Amino acid sequence: MSKSRSSQIITCKAAVIWGSGEPLKVEEIQIEPPKSTEVRVRMLYASVCHTDVLRARRKGDPVPLFPRVLGHEGVGMVESFGDEVNGLEEGDYVIPTMIAECEACENCTSANTNLCLTYPLSRSGLMLDGTSRMSINGQKLYHMFTCSTWSEYMVIDSNYVNKIDPSIPLPHASVLSCGFSTGFGAAWKEAQVKMGSTVAVLGLGAVGLGVTEGARMLGAAKIIGVDKNSMKKDKGLAFGMTDFINPDECSDKSISQMIKDLTGGMGVDYCFECVGAESLINQAIQATKEGKGKTIVIGGGISSVKIDYLPLLSGRTLKGSLFGGLKVKSDLPILFQKCKNKEFDLDELLTHEVTLQDIEKAFELLNQPDCVKVLIKI
């Protein structure tokens, strides 16, 4: 296999944020060559995830790393790579992942988790060696988890890269790198939704619609979507939702009670919290069946939450999830194949598109009621 090791620093444009709540500025930055286990990628498309929005807009970020180039969903082409990288060539299409799979550690050899111990989820905003390959006017730039997709180029460790079939539409590949896959995986790997079961999904964004699609494919008999935006109803139906609840249209009842009303008073077998709202966690638990209901928490943005104890004591389960429990080498290629086979209608997710230069507009579009996912054309 040929090896591609570029020694050139690349100057390119990226969306830089200098502090929480500050606007993104498209500026020229410098991208260093990849080190031995790293890959430099020319980005083609990226997309906006709720987690990126939280990092950009929320004051009091638990990990306030600035200046920073955000973005962890995207797809690009390998430009160069280090001499210890195997399985990749120049020109290969790849997506970044926030987690890795070494296939050898205690967690990777377990069927119960997708969180690799050898290459863990990075919260430092830096490469594995504690340094950065991105800078602006000599100042170090932090990235988002393992990468920075809101840039024309980025460097990422090869353990957090997944090669894709070039026949997969690139915009679809971008949303498979986090949001939709996270939801689909939560239904498939975390909850292991059973045929004929009942499901509730709180929040019908890209993650919630991924849950809905996963539950449909696994044969759930009833899939209840819950969202305050009634324009999400048609999106939910497109991915297999059977019932829709807008909690604002029935303010005298709790969400959990409305879900029970649709399930003969029993509640659902599985409830997925996809918003990251403290007030919804207990509602999700209470919406599940006594003795065996499972609640899967996927939404980010909560630092702490007070849990009602009695519903859990009554035999219900509460479980957290990162990347939907998907292992990136073992499971993610299955989703790629489904995408290639057109089993997912991912065009339903991609409601808006902006250029990198107009990335601030993406945040405005997210407030539009018909917006699900904003694609960024690099």
Side-chain angles (χ1 to χ4, degrees), residues 97-110:
T97 55
M98 68 175 74
I99 60 172
E101 183 184 358
C102 74
E103 302 178 288
C105 73
E106 178 183 339
N107 280 4
C108 284
T109 55
S110 166

Side-chain angles (χ1 to χ4, degrees), residues 302-367:
I302 303 174
S303 56
S304 63
V305 61
K306 183 179 179 180
I307 299 295
D308 293 338
Y309 181 60
L310 188 58
L312 286 181
L313 190 64
S314 301
R316 296 174 175 89
T317 302
L318 175 64
K319 190 179 193 305
S321 175
L322 280 174
F323 199 51
L326 294 172
K327 293 179 185 287
V328 295
K329 292 181 180 178
S330 305
D331 301 323
L332 205 48
I334 296 173
L335 270 68
F336 296 156
Q337 190 61 45
K338 288 182 180 295
C339 183
K340 185 178 177 181
N341 294 342
K342 296 181 170 53
E343 295 177 49
F344 302 142
D345 188 6
L346 296 183
D347 285 329
E348 286 283 346
L349 297 180
L350 299 169
T351 53
H352 296 79
E353 181 176 320
V354 299
T355 63
L356 179 64
Q357 196 69 38
D358 292 328
I359 193 166
E360 266 293 311
K361 186 180 177 184
F363 290 86
E364 299 171 17
L365 291 170
L366 289 170
N367 294 320

Side-chain angles (χ1 to χ4, degrees), residues 254-329:
S254 65
I255 291 172
S256 58
Q257 185 57 53
M258 285 186 276
I259 291 171
K260 287 179 177 178
D261 288 347
L262 290 173
T263 53
M266 293 287 291
V268 290
D269 294 295
Y270 314 96
C271 189
F272 298 83
E273 201 285 332
C274 308
V275 179
E278 183 179 341
S279 61
L280 291 180
I281 303 298
N282 286 306
Q283 286 296 308
I285 297 169
Q286 291 164 14
T288 62
K289 291 179 178 177
E290 188 171 15
K292 63 174 186 175
K294 289 184 179 179
T295 298
I296 311 296
V297 178
I298 315 171
I302 303 174
S303 56
S304 63
V305 61
K306 183 179 179 180
I307 299 295
D308 293 338
Y309 181 60
L310 188 58
L312 286 181
L313 190 64
S314 301
R316 296 174 175 89
T317 302
L318 175 64
K319 190 179 193 305
S321 175
L322 280 174
F323 199 51
L326 294 172
K327 293 179 185 287
V328 295
K329 292 181 180 178

Side-chain angles (χ1 to χ4, degrees), residues 12-188:
C12 68
K13 291 189 181 299
V16 180
I17 184 167
W18 291 86
S20 287
E22 293 190 17
L24 294 164
K25 297 179 180 178
V26 178
E27 304 186 64
E28 284 197 343
I29 69 168
Q30 284 69 50
I31 308 290
E32 293 178 12
K35 292 190 177 181
S36 59
T37 64
E38 298 168 358
V39 182
R40 188 157 64 184
V41 179
R42 179 168 71 89
M43 295 306 300
L44 301 171
Y45 286 95
S47 36
V48 181
C49 179
H50 181 60
T51 310
D52 296 305
V53 177
L54 290 175
R55 293 290 181 270
R57 292 294 185 249
R58 192 177 65 182
K59 301 287 186 182
D61 189 332
V63 191
L65 304 171
F66 299 101
R68 194 174 198 174
V69 178
L70 297 171
H72 64 284
E73 292 186 352
V75 60
M77 184 181 290
V78 173
E79 179 268 340
S80 58
F81 51 89
D83 53 16
E84 294 181 31
V85 174
N86 294 307
L88 291 174
E89 295 280 4
E90 281 185 50
D92 282 346
Y93 290 100
V94 294
I95 65 169
T97 55
M98 68 175 74
I99 60 172
E101 183 184 358
C102 74
E103 302 178 288
C105 73
E106 178 183 339
N107 280 4
C108 284
T109 55
S110 166
N112 298 322
T113 180
N114 63 334
L115 300 182
C116 179
L117 299 175
T118 308
Y119 305 107
L121 173 70
S122 173
R123 294 183 173 88
S124 69
L126 300 169
M127 304 301 288
L128 292 176
D129 64 1
T131 62
S132 176
R133 305 291 167 269
M134 312 176 81
S135 62
I136 181 167
N137 300 322
Q139 185 173 356
K140 174 174 66 180
L141 282 166
Y142 293 95
H143 51 63
M144 180 73 178
F145 299 128
T146 59
C147 61
S148 291
T149 61
W150 297 357
S151 174
E152 291 176 333
Y153 285 85
M154 70 171 187
V155 174
I156 182 171
D157 191 274
S158 61
N159 290 288
Y160 300 95
V161 165
N162 215 305
K163 183 178 175 180
I164 65 165
D165 188 316
S167 66
I168 295 175
L170 297 183
H172 294 180
S174 183
V175 299
L176 286 177
S177 60
C178 181
F180 182 83
S181 297
T182 295
F184 188 92
W188 173 33

